[in-house]
Amino acid sequence: MSGATAPGADTGATVWLTGLPSAGKTTIAHELAGRLRAEGHRVEVLDGDEIREFLSAGLGFSREDRHTNVQRIGFVAELLASNGVKVLVPVIAPYADSREAVRKRHQAEGTAYLEVHVATPVEVCSERDVKGLYARQAAGEISGLTGVDDPYEAPADPDLRIEAHTETVRESADRLHTLLSARGLA
């Protein structure tokens, strides 16, 4: 599509990729971001680790702090999306009520919001252990690991469920792109 702009290129949306640590959320988001940018979309990836460092520094991992973190990210995502940016948000967001509050904010503003559950089983995530969190938890160095000794409330009815452990990153990103296209967003 050299020089052409994709349908929906000027329409913003938030795509929230929720799932356990090491599920593949960020990897899928970056794969999709590259494709969307190549099609002429304005895209931002709001990575959970970067947000914690720069926007939510000082917050811990209590339920209240996790809720506050998700609401801050949701606010920024909606602000960008309402201004024509495709915002990909690979953030655990373990609590259903926190994610629902973000969805409602988007609905109230008339901004598109899609929830994607990257449904990689905890056993696969612990084998991947991208950041060494599962090993540190098993060694007793940390506690409160989402999906192990802290709750993760999987979405009951996400817009898309990706079982990233059964397909390639590109296949996962392609499925997500297909959903965006079907919704007139790509």
Side-chain angles (χ1 to χ4, degrees):
M1 272 190 115
S2 181
T5 302
D10 294 332
T11 304
T14 295
V15 179
W16 198 291
L17 294 95
T18 179
L20 297 173
S22 297
K25 301 176 300 295
T26 301
T27 304
I28 294 167
H30 283 290
E31 177 76 17
L32 179 61
R35 180 171 176 182
L36 290 171
R37 284 185 186 111
E39 294 174 352
H41 297 273
R42 293 173 34 210
V43 180
E44 289 295 333
V45 176
L46 298 182
D47 180 84
D49 292 333
E50 292 174 0
I51 296 292
R52 275 225 174 248
E53 182 178 350
F54 297 107
L55 185 65
S56 294
L59 289 180
F61 292 91
S62 67
R63 184 179 177 101
E64 182 179 315
D65 282 357
R66 287 176 193 249
H67 179 77
T68 298
N69 184 49
V70 168
Q71 297 316 298
R72 287 178 184 177
I73 296 167
F75 174 81
V76 172
E78 195 285 321
L79 184 65
L80 289 167
S82 69
N83 284 285
V85 178
K86 302 289 186 299
V87 186
L88 308 179
V89 186
V91 173
I92 296 167
Y95 301 111
D97 61 342
S98 295
R99 294 188 309 266
E100 184 59 22
V102 171
R103 178 187 294 277
K104 285 181 178 176
R105 171 187 293 281
H106 281 71
Q107 287 174 338
E109 298 299 327
T111 305
Y113 176 89
L114 301 174
E115 182 178 69
V116 177
H117 180 207
V118 182
T120 307
V122 69
E123 299 80 19
V124 175
C125 294
S126 66
E127 288 172 17
R128 290 178 179 171
D129 205 8
V130 177
K131 299 172 193 157
L133 296 174
Y134 292 93
R136 291 180 58 209
Q137 190 275 337
E141 296 173 16
I142 62 170
S143 62
L145 182 59
T146 301
V148 178
D149 60 353
D150 207 54
Y152 176 72
E153 299 170 356
D157 190 27
D159 295 284
L160 179 65
R161 192 175 316 276
I162 294 174
E163 295 188 8
H165 59 294
T166 66
E167 58 192 28
T168 68
V169 172
R170 183 174 188 146
E171 288 169 338
S172 295
D174 285 349
R175 291 185 57 227
L176 189 43
H177 190 276
T178 298
L179 174 64
L180 288 171
S181 295
R183 301 282 175 93
L185 300 169

